[in-house]
Amino acid sequence: MNKARYVYSSLFVLILTSIFAFLYYGGGGVKVGYISDIKIDINSTIALYNKNNTIQKDSKNFETQKDIFNDSKITEYVYSFKIDTRDKIFRKSDIFNIYPTFDNLPDSITNIYMKDKGGKYGNFISNEIINFKSISNSIELNRIEPIQYTLKMTKKIIIWFVALIVLVPLIIVRFHSIKTCMLNIENRISISLEKQQDNVIFLPHSNKLSYIAFYAYIAFIGVILISQYLMMSVNGDDWEFGSTYLSFYEPYKTSHHWQRGRHFVDILLSLNMRPFGEILASFGIDPLLASNIVASFFILLFYFVLFFSCSLFIWILNNKNNFKMIFVVVSLSILLIVKQMMHFTVVGAYIGTAGISLLVWLPIIYYLFYNKVIYFSSNQFLSVGILIFFIYSASFVTETSSLPMLGLSIFVLLYMIYEHKFKQIKHSISIYYYIALFLILVPTAFILTMKSGRGEAQVKDIAGTSYMKNALETIGNFSYFGKWVIILGFIYFIFLGIKGIKNKYFSKKDYIRISTLFVALLGVVGFACIKVPGIWFEAILISLVLFSFVLDVIKNNSLIFKTICSFLLVSFIVCGVLKVISTYEENFEKYFHDNAQRTLVNLFLEAEKNGDDKIILTREETKKHGIDSQYSHGFYLGLISAWMQKYYTKNYIKIKIIDSNDNNE
């Protein structure tokens, strides 16, 4: 046994040291990148002017770069930029800081500096007007190259590596001594607590207080979500799904078979305007405001369906105990994983469908643990019809939501077959029928999607890319909490695998855990390799398994483990709530004064009043009017025009984007 521990500890040190060496030496040396995303910084330019001149200027009078460039008294301009790298692995990240050298820059750049030490964002000062239609040979395609830089591992990562290399082998080798020591401490604490039992006073009505705190928490999260998304407005795919997209097609119409792979999600993504926003608009409410109101309501609904379904998953595994506490931890975990704010269509496509798919699938796992079939009606024939509709709704959605349910259905089916064959346990035919519908409908939806324009677009998007680089880049975009969930999930998956192989047996709960981890980890890696956006649901499933494990540890007889896990749980709730508030503050500052879409509506109304058939905007002005750069091309511009024609203007008014330069803007 001691030899095995030394082997395990040595293997762990070897693997961790190899990873450290790979990162350290791979990131070392001088590398080549370029300065990109060059944009005029209006506020910094005016501040620089005011610093060097006695007559002061107000930045509020300069709304676009045109205003800056047309002022002949301003001769120095501050531009913001980002250091970009060709290497998708060794770049600025949570692991590396980046330190560029600026030896090969155009003479027009008089000063350059980074905003943060080790960061990738900076500013430079130039005495030339830089626009991107007529530019010098040294500045092309909105970037300056080449720029040399070096990478250094962050101190935080080095400390983590050193701590793991020292502590984990020590714990493995001295496990027996540590365990004995912990038992002695537990015995002393238990004896001390028994002696003081007569001096303990419990808070009266603590059960009522827990309910008050729980409902106060629900109200708090609800208000936070509604407030955040009332500040968001129409953008991206919202323009299309809110106006012209054929969302409400009949499933049997083969002319639209290519859409049917996501039929249910197509409906969800249109609900902010069709029909609910339109209903509010018919009562005289401004269409843009109506869209924001309905969108915030449905976003709240989507999130809470996901909160509820994920909490039920843990509640079932936890012998139907502690639902309130489970709901609080699960909802905070989801909000920490899905940190950024998204437009309505994105929330509906990835959050709403995930909650619905899991909720529809839960009766399968409920039967597995409690041997009870859930019917949706006392009339069994009607129940079958409702069941088909529900599973259809859970299957014809985005693949990040439906494919995990397919994988879990397969694992549950295999377990039931095993029990029937080796334990002579007979299962209800209804649950086999339930699983069969998932096994049929999800692949059908997937095939239809792959044969559609969506599947072809995804294949085209990853053509010529490296799967490993795609995966590292996509996973790197997760929140810090999400990354740790994936890492810990992988470690726990290995632990469960070793435990099962050693015991030659998996308990029912461990089987569901390792199956869920396998499906979720495979989904994270697989979807990341092909650059599928929005793979939060897979990370959420991993977090559910980890939380289930923590709850089991709390129920363990070990007093020390109970105390540590309980403390970590309370700390997580407190820190999670504070992080949610902090994120809300960031979003408030970003979106509260953003009236971009309102100014865009006013532009269309003014154009119609003047009899214009087109609106001409520079690329700098598009951002001011709420048109993100990724949507500033013909297809999306046409969708904006169609949305405006449906809700504001009688005529179809085009948008034309032009490049700004010295002579015409």
Side-chain angles (χ1 to χ4, degrees):
M1 183 62 71
N2 288 333
K3 289 183 179 180
R5 288 175 185 162
Y6 279 110
V7 170
Y8 289 143
S9 61
S10 301
L11 186 62
F12 177 84
V13 170
L14 179 63
I15 293 172
L16 212 59
T17 305
S18 300
I19 295 172
F20 181 84
F22 171 74
L23 293 174
Y24 185 83
Y25 290 105
V30 178
K31 302 180 183 298
V32 176
Y34 51 89
I35 293 176
S36 70
D37 292 353
I38 303 169
K39 299 174 184 176
I40 185 73
D41 188 331
I42 294 176
N43 291 329
S44 297
T45 299
I46 298 303
L48 178 65
Y49 176 87
N50 291 337
K51 181 180 178 182
N52 298 328
N53 294 272
T54 55
I55 301 176
Q56 303 291 287
K57 294 182 181 291
D58 190 347
S59 60
K60 293 180 180 178
N61 298 326
F62 299 85
E63 293 187 355
T64 67
Q65 75 168 31
K66 177 182 176 181
D67 301 327
I68 289 280
F69 295 156
N70 286 344
D71 192 323
S72 59
K73 294 183 179 180
I74 298 177
T75 57
E76 288 187 304
Y77 309 93
V78 180
Y79 297 89
S80 63
F81 67 87
K82 179 178 74 171
I83 299 293
D84 253 332
T85 62
R86 294 183 176 88
D87 198 317
K88 299 298 182 182
I89 300 175
F90 297 104
R91 58 175 186 164
K92 168 61 183 172
S93 62
D94 293 330
I95 299 175
F96 295 108
N97 282 331
I98 188 169
Y99 298 92
T101 55
F102 302 109
D103 298 329
N104 186 24
L105 294 175
D107 295 335
S108 60
I109 296 178
T110 58
N111 189 21
I112 189 167
Y113 55 91
M114 305 305 294
K115 293 181 180 179
D116 299 306
K117 186 177 180 181
K120 62 180 179 180
Y121 295 99
N123 287 338
F124 68 79
I125 301 172
S126 174
N127 53 27
E128 285 187 0
I129 294 175
I130 300 176
N131 59 61
F132 307 107
K133 189 173 181 181
S134 176
I135 47 184
S136 64
N137 293 330
S138 56
I139 303 177
E140 298 179 353
L141 300 176
N142 194 15
R143 72 187 196 189
I144 304 174
E145 59 179 332
I147 295 293
Q148 293 185 338
Y149 68 91
T150 56
L151 293 174
K152 294 182 181 179
M153 293 181 71
T154 62
K155 292 180 180 179
K156 180 171 59 178
I157 291 297
I158 294 174
I159 291 171
W160 271 106
F161 267 108
V162 172
L164 289 173
I165 290 173
V166 173
L167 294 178
V168 173
L170 181 64
I171 293 172
I172 293 173
V173 173
R174 307 296 299 175
F175 178 77
H176 183 72
S177 300
I178 294 171
K179 185 177 179 181
T180 303
C181 180
M182 289 176 65
L183 288 173
N184 291 333
I185 294 172
E186 283 182 21
N187 291 333
R188 292 180 181 180
I189 293 174
S190 298
I191 293 170
S192 177
L193 289 175
E194 287 176 5
K195 290 180 179 179
Q196 297 179 15
Q197 208 163 25
D198 294 335
N199 300 325
V200 175
I201 299 176
F202 292 98
L203 192 66
H205 310 297
S206 58
N207 195 39
K208 289 183 180 179
L209 289 174
S210 70
Y211 274 100
I212 293 172
F214 176 65
Y215 291 121
Y217 169 80
I218 290 178
F220 166 74
I221 293 298
V223 169
I224 285 285
L225 289 172
I226 289 176
S227 175
Q228 278 192 149
Y229 284 97
L230 275 174
M231 292 185 286
M232 293 285 286
S233 197
V234 183
N235 209 336
D237 289 333
D238 297 348
W239 299 112
E240 181 178 17
F241 281 94
S243 59
T244 60
Y245 189 80
L246 187 60
S247 301
F248 302 98
Y249 54 86
E250 293 83 357
Y252 53 80
K253 283 192 175 180
T254 56
S255 60
H256 299 294
H257 73 278
W258 64 272
Q259 296 181 13
R260 290 169 58 206
R262 294 182 178 179
H263 184 195
F264 188 68
V265 72
D266 287 346
I267 295 174
L268 291 183
L269 304 190
S270 302
L271 295 179
N272 65 321
M273 284 305 294
R274 305 159 64 199
F276 299 104
E278 294 171 346
I279 292 173
L280 291 182
S282 71
F283 287 108
I285 297 177
D286 178 76
L288 200 59
L289 177 60
S291 173
N292 289 355
I293 292 172
V294 177
S296 62
F297 168 77
F298 275 105
I299 285 172
L300 178 68
L301 183 64
F302 293 154
Y303 268 101
F304 269 83
V305 168
L306 183 59
F307 294 162
F308 182 69
S309 58
C310 290
S311 300
L312 281 179
F313 181 85
I314 299 294
W315 180 72
I316 291 170
L317 293 182
N318 197 45
N319 297 321
K320 299 192 286 189
N321 293 320
N322 302 320
F323 180 80
K324 296 194 297 296
M325 185 263 289
I326 289 171
F327 184 91
V328 172
V329 174
V330 165
S331 58
L332 286 174
S333 299
I334 292 171
L335 292 173
L336 293 176
I337 290 172
V338 191
K339 183 183 176 183
Q340 65 268 43
M341 283 180 67
M342 303 162 290
H343 297 291
F344 176 76
T345 49
V346 180
V347 177
Y350 297 104
I351 303 300
T353 60
I356 292 169
S357 295
L358 181 58
L359 189 63
V360 172
W361 182 83
L362 284 177
I364 294 176
I365 193 175
Y366 188 85
Y367 171 83
L368 189 68
F369 277 86
Y370 302 105
N371 201 32
K372 292 183 179 179
V373 180
I374 296 175
Y375 288 99
F376 299 101
S377 171
S378 57
N379 184 322
Q380 290 192 2
F381 296 101
L382 179 60
S383 181
V384 170
I386 295 173
L387 176 64
I388 294 174
F389 170 76
F390 279 171
I391 298 181
Y392 175 83
S393 301
S395 302
F396 280 66
V397 293
T398 44
E399 293 71 35
T400 53
S401 300
S402 60
L403 290 180
M405 299 302 97
L406 173 66
L408 289 175
S409 298
I410 293 172
F411 277 109
V412 171
L413 179 62
L414 292 174
Y415 190 84
M416 289 168 58
I417 293 172
Y418 166 81
E419 283 194 328
H420 178 72
K421 185 174 181 179
F422 295 101
K423 297 185 178 181
Q424 306 303 315
I425 297 175
K426 292 185 178 181
H427 293 288
S428 170
I429 191 68
S430 298
I431 211 68
Y432 282 112
Y433 178 69
Y434 207 120
I435 293 174
L437 285 173
F438 269 105
L439 299 184
I440 294 169
L441 292 177
V442 174
T444 301
F446 179 73
I447 292 169
L448 288 171
T449 300
M450 288 304 297
K451 286 187 175 182
S452 72
R454 293 185 181 93
E456 292 174 2
Q458 195 67 42
V459 171
K460 185 178 179 180
D461 189 42
I462 63 171
T465 61
S466 165
Y467 289 143
M468 177 173 285
K469 287 185 177 180
N470 291 343
L472 290 172
E473 186 174 356
T474 304
I475 295 172
N477 292 329
F478 268 94
S479 66
Y480 191 72
F481 178 76
K483 291 173 188 174
W484 271 108
V485 163
I486 295 170
I487 293 170
L488 293 176
F490 181 72
I491 294 172
Y492 187 49
F493 176 77
I494 294 174
F495 170 79
L496 284 175
I498 294 173
K499 178 183 175 183
I501 292 171
K502 183 178 179 181
N503 297 334
K504 298 181 180 180
Y505 170 77
F506 284 104
S507 67
K508 190 177 292 185
K509 187 181 289 188
D510 279 349
Y511 180 81
I512 291 298
R513 284 173 178 164
I514 198 169
S515 301
T516 304
L517 285 174
F518 177 81
V519 169
L521 289 169
L522 181 64
V524 167
V525 175
F527 286 130
C529 284
I530 58 175
K531 298 173 69 173
V532 172
I535 51 177
W536 302 293
F537 184 44
E538 284 68 21
I540 290 168
L541 288 175
I542 296 172
S543 72
L544 299 183
V545 174
L546 295 174
F547 181 37
S548 171
F549 168 70
V550 171
L551 289 175
D552 273 5
V553 172
I554 291 176
K555 290 186 289 186
N556 191 287
N557 292 327
S558 172
L559 184 63
I560 290 180
F561 278 121
K562 279 183 179 181
T563 304
I564 292 173
C565 287
S566 297
F567 170 75
L568 292 176
L569 208 56
V570 173
S571 300
F572 175 79
I573 292 172
V574 174
C575 295
V577 170
L578 293 175
K579 186 62 178 177
V580 168
I581 296 173
S582 173
T583 302
Y584 174 79
E585 283 290 303
E586 294 172 7
N587 292 327
F588 183 86
E589 292 179 6
K590 183 176 181 181
Y591 294 105
F592 182 67
H593 294 292
D594 185 6
N595 297 314
Q597 279 74 11
R598 177 60 57 195
T599 62
L600 189 61
V601 169
N602 293 335
L603 273 181
F604 272 86
L605 293 175
E606 186 68 23
E608 184 170 60
K609 181 180 177 181
N610 297 333
D612 299 332
D613 62 351
K614 71 173 64 172
I615 296 171
I616 298 176
L617 300 173
T618 64
R619 295 200 177 276
E620 291 72 30
E621 290 172 329
T622 57
K623 186 176 181 181
K624 173 186 173 183
H625 297 299
I627 305 173
D628 292 341
S629 58
Q630 59 180 319
Y631 301 122
S632 60
H633 54 80
F635 174 71
Y636 275 102
L637 296 178
L639 297 177
I640 295 172
S641 296
W643 196 94
M644 293 296 178
Q645 184 185 21
K646 184 168 185 177
Y647 300 114
Y648 283 101
T649 64
K650 293 180 180 179
N651 301 316
Y652 183 86
I653 301 173
K654 296 180 181 179
I655 301 176
K656 183 179 179 181
I657 308 296
I658 62 171
D659 292 311
S660 57
N661 54 51
D662 293 338
N663 300 319
N664 66 327
E665 285 198 78

